[in-house]
């Protein structure tokens, strides 16, 4: 299923771990990057192209840019829905969009599922041996439904 | 259900995240402590006494001792079963036993579910305001099925 | 000393830890947020207003936005210079600019000190009890040399 | 200089980062493993045998066992002295001893340098290609001053 916008996003559920909190009593801000990545790799597995398999063919997708807004805090034992979709793709880079909503509060209080964070994260496509940029392998483009001719996007 | 040995352990399933690996290509050893904790807090929630609720009553369970053996590595996208049970309890401390088995390899290879790690982790019972040791609250002892008179253990 | 641009930045030296690498063999991207924060808190201490002291007065500075570009990878045992300065300030928020340069390669190879990452990170000023926005305490504005009347910035 | 006991330990100074705290308001317990490792790799560099160089020869030192006692908490911005020494060595494994003392409190209060944690961590010597145990390379034994004939230890 093509997932090119928020309405068709892949949903990944996580629970905030104790060790992910900080002394402000909230999920530490750097951990959101792990949540996004966890959702992104689950998404790729679900599409039949696990990121581990990508790396085993000698191709890596290092993060090149992060644009991340924190809107409301997440707390220990909160269940979060991390939504991920493909926002843009080029010949040698891809940008995923993300939104985190709280699905259930850890303290059991009623909840109207607020948006906690939104982000766009750009990954480069890289040859793991030479560490140089390269175009996406066709299997990966196909699995993610990327347009054959990405030049115009 | 009383969970006082490996045969009656609580099982918690996790998947190794990319950010949890290190440059040796395996799950970084410190992250096992997060896996154990994640299993322990899921266990407590399942027993009706979420650790977050314990802290909201002013009681904390800081880690006092870790005895941990690594037997075989875990890899990115491996699905792991973290087993946890109560190995020992005293008036103001509790020791959880742990075993991690691989349930499914991330690379899809066949698998005979090896034991990757075993551990015993002792937690103290502490008043969060005074930061001094205290006995377990009765609700917590009851939820975990701890013996009423723990003096003799 | 006022530190309002890259040329007058505060410099903080760190060394990449083994546990901060991932299986791509580089410093994991989320750890850059810890490096930036480490530099920012060292900067505040050097200016006579430690962030721990700020929190002890009931004021916190949670991260509200991250804009981060990764330009070249950092490796285990690399020594990095994290430069930090105040890019913008308003009544209830402050944006720090960052640049990471490699000072020395962990493998001892010669080096021309490339820029590995640049970032802008916006922090809100928050009352830790009510978790609501508030203006900066005057001691903090003074320590960081923020303009008295920030309304126009 | 031979470093085979606490009195001749190597000293490594670290400062607790904000992101290393948890919602109990202390340095999160898993991070002590990063502190120990940071001290161990600094020790090896100081002895002229950086761990990165060891890995570049195809040899790794994965952690096999951790025995760790937490005695008192560490707080944000505390400066800690991590002491490390070689407690035992065999043909294909080595055990480091550790002690963490607080050198300076982050809040500036007077301090009598308490011991916060002690540990013994056993590392195996492993061939990174085959992932099988192997004896220490002679250069490594020499750099660390390990006995030539370790059979009897």
């Amino acid at each position: 299923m093509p997932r090119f916008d928020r309405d068709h996003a892949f949903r990944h559920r996580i629970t905030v771990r104790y060790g992910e909190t900080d002394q402000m009593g909230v999920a530490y801000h750097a951990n959101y990057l792990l949540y996004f990545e966890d959702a992104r790799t689950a998404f790729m597995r679900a599409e039949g192209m696990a990121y581990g398999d990508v790396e085993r063919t000698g191709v890596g997708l290092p993060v090149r840019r992060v644009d991340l807004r924190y809107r409301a805090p997440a707390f220990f034992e909160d269940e979060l829905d991390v939504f991920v979709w493909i926002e843009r793709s080029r010949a040698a880079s891809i940008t995923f969009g993300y939104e985190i909503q709280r699905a259930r509060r850890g303290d059991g209080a009623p909840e109207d599922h607020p948006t906690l964070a939104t982000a766009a994260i750009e990954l480069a496509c890289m040859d793991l041996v030479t560490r140089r940029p390269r175009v996406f392998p066709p299997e990966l483009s196909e699995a993610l439904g990327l347009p054959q001719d990405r030049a115009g996007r």
Side-chain angles (χ1 to χ4, degrees), chain A:
Chain A
M1 173 173 144
R3 299 190 175 280
F4 295 120
D5 54 52
R6 172 65 183 84
D7 288 345
H8 301 85
F10 178 81
R11 185 172 65 84
H12 180 64
R13 174 72 57 93
I14 64 127
T15 302
V16 176
R17 295 170 171 171
Y18 195 86
E20 292 167 356
T21 63
D22 64 23
Q23 73 177 36
M24 217 178 270
V26 302
Y28 181 63
H29 71 283
N31 290 323
Y32 285 62
L33 294 180
L34 282 107
Y35 300 161
F36 294 139
E37 182 177 75
D38 200 28
R40 183 171 68 239
T41 53
F43 169 33
M44 292 178 68
R45 274 197 302 280
E47 300 292 311
M49 178 53 74
Y51 180 64
D53 291 335
V54 175
E55 282 203 349
R56 276 182 283 276
T57 68
V59 174
L61 302 177
V63 173
R64 194 152 72 178
R65 179 159 189 183
V66 168
D67 186 0
L68 168 48
R69 290 173 190 234
Y70 300 89
R71 297 170 187 278
F75 300 98
F76 172 52
E77 292 187 320
D78 280 356
E79 291 182 23
L80 309 181
D81 280 332
V82 187
F83 294 93
V84 55
W85 63 94
I86 296 168
E87 198 157 285
R88 254 194 321 279
S89 71
R90 294 182 183 273
S93 74
I94 185 167
T95 301
F96 290 90
Y98 302 88
E99 181 176 332
I100 298 184
Q101 276 189 0
R102 183 159 41 220
R104 215 178 57 82
R105 288 175 58 120
D107 64 4
E111 171 67 297
D112 54 354
H113 312 300
T115 293
L116 306 186
T118 52
I121 299 182
E122 183 185 327
L123 311 183
C125 191
M126 182 180 88
D127 183 302
L128 284 174
V129 174
T130 63
R131 290 196 190 267
R132 294 187 62 83
R134 51 151 294 167
V135 297
F136 286 108
E139 315 85 79
L140 179 58
S141 300
E142 217 167 290
L144 298 179
L146 304 184
Q148 292 297 319
D149 175 22
R150 285 170 304 267
R153 300 196 66 159

